[in-house]
């Protein structure tokens, strides 16, 4: 190598190292003041945390990428979730999934969640970017990273889904104020967490009132109908709706209702309370309906 080319090479290396995500440069960005906006403050902190995580793995390039995003947020630049089509992602299936999930995230952000739920919105964006970065790294690529890459991908993906669950959560409408001499209530709805047939404390407390009402009204039959949202496969959702029905039936039977009165039915995702597209998590559709006849 000539003296001139050697000098140029050394300069290029120096510039590369200067741009890498060193702990000192990350600390500098972490200390930057952010606008008085909760979403931007959480976004800035989330990107700083990701930069530090990558730096701890000696991945200075990706650490610098997250550091730079934190710096742009602090400087007031509009930073949107990464477009996965711009990354070197080998799996077409993973790329399609990331593209769809980014569209879901952007819909929530543009619907006002940056203001209404700033912490969860920022967490959803930073964990999505983390997911994109980790998917590009492996696990198909050889090397020391591959040994823990699956866990890193899963961690970022699960954090994203947890944040999106908060953004998509729709609280059940409160029951109406009692009116004089109301007609007997014969229809009841129990809601479930995503991908779960387990009864929450709120659900079990609500079912106690359903049991008390059944004792008072003495219906000839109690129809228990199970439903799921569209976020899983149709076969999986059919089984999940059945499991929810069986959980409700077991609870009311244990509370003293004659099992011979119970009529069990389940419909999976076929009869949503709220009409959504496929692959949409919606709490109003994750339900079991109890009807007195």
């Amino acid at each position: 190598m000539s003296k001139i080319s050697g000098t140029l090479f050394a300069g290029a290396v120096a510039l590369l190292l200067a741009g890498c995500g060193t702990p000192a440069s990350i600390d500098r960005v972490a200390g930057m003041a952010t606008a008085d906006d909760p979403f931007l403050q959480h976004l800035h902190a989330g990107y700083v945390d990701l930069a530090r995580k990558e730096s701890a793995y000696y991945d200075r390039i990706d650490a610098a990428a997250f550091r730079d995003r934190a710096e742009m947020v602090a400087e007031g630049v509009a930073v949107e979730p990464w477009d996965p089509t711009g990354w070197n992602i080998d799996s077409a299936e993973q790329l399609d999934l990331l593209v769809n999930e980014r569209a879901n995230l952007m819909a929530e952000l543009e619907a006002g969640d940056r203001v209404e739920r700033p912490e969860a919105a920022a967490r959803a964006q930073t964990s999505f970017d983390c997911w994109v970065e980790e998917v590009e790294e492996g696990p198909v690529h050889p090397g020391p990273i591959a040994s823990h890459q699956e866990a890193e991908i899963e961690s970022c993906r699960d954090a994203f889904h947890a944040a999106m669950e908060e953004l998509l959560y729709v609280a059940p409408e409160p029951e109406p104020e009692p009116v004089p001499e109301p007609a007997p209530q014969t229809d009841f709805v129990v809601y479930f967490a995503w991908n779960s047939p387990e009864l929450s404390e709120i659900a079990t407390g609500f079912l106690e009132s359903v049991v008390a009402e059944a004792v008072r009204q003495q219906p000839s039959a109690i129809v228990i109908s199970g439903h799921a949202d569209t976020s899983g496969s149709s076969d999986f959702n059919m089984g999940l709706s059945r499991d929810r029905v069986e959980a409700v039936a077991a609870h009311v039977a244990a509370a003293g209702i004659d099992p011979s009165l119970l009529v069990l039915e389940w419909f999976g995702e076929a009869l949503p309370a709220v009409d959504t597209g496929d692959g949409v998590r919606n709490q109003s559709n994750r339900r079991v309906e109890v009807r007195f006849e």
Side-chain angles (χ1 to χ4, degrees), residues 168 170-173 189-192 227 229 272-274 281-287 289:
L168 292 166
V170 178
E173 294 184 3
V189 182
V190 181
Y191 294 95
F192 289 78
H227 304 271
D229 64 24
V274 177
R281 301 181 188 183
N282 186 294
Q283 192 191 32
S284 295
N285 291 334
R286 301 193 296 266
R287 70 199 193 281
E289 298 174 350

Side-chain angles (χ1 to χ4, degrees), residues 227-228 238 267-272:
H227 304 271
M238 187 64 72
F267 302 95
E269 63 184 57
L271 299 175

Side-chain angles (χ1 to χ4, degrees), residues 175 185 188-190 202-217 251-252 255 257 290 292:
E175 294 187 15
Q185 185 178 357
F188 308 85
V189 182
V190 181
I202 294 176
T204 55
F206 178 68
L207 284 176
E208 295 304 321
S209 66
V210 174
V211 169
E213 189 64 13
V215 171
R216 187 181 72 83
Q217 294 190 34
H251 187 87
V252 299
I257 297 299
V290 181
F292 295 169

Side-chain angles (χ1 to χ4, degrees), residues 50-98:
L50 289 173
R52 284 176 169 153
K53 184 193 79 169
E54 294 300 319
S55 179
Y57 281 132
Y58 300 100
D59 185 350
R60 297 293 175 81
I61 301 300
D62 287 329
F66 287 124
R67 177 207 62 201
D68 291 347
R69 288 175 81 71
E71 185 168 15
M72 287 189 290
V73 171
E75 291 175 345
V77 178
V79 176
E80 292 190 347
W82 269 326
D83 180 355
T85 61
W87 287 69
N88 183 27
I89 295 174
D90 297 318
S91 168
E93 181 181 358
Q94 286 294 313
L95 180 59
D96 288 344
L97 175 61
L98 287 166

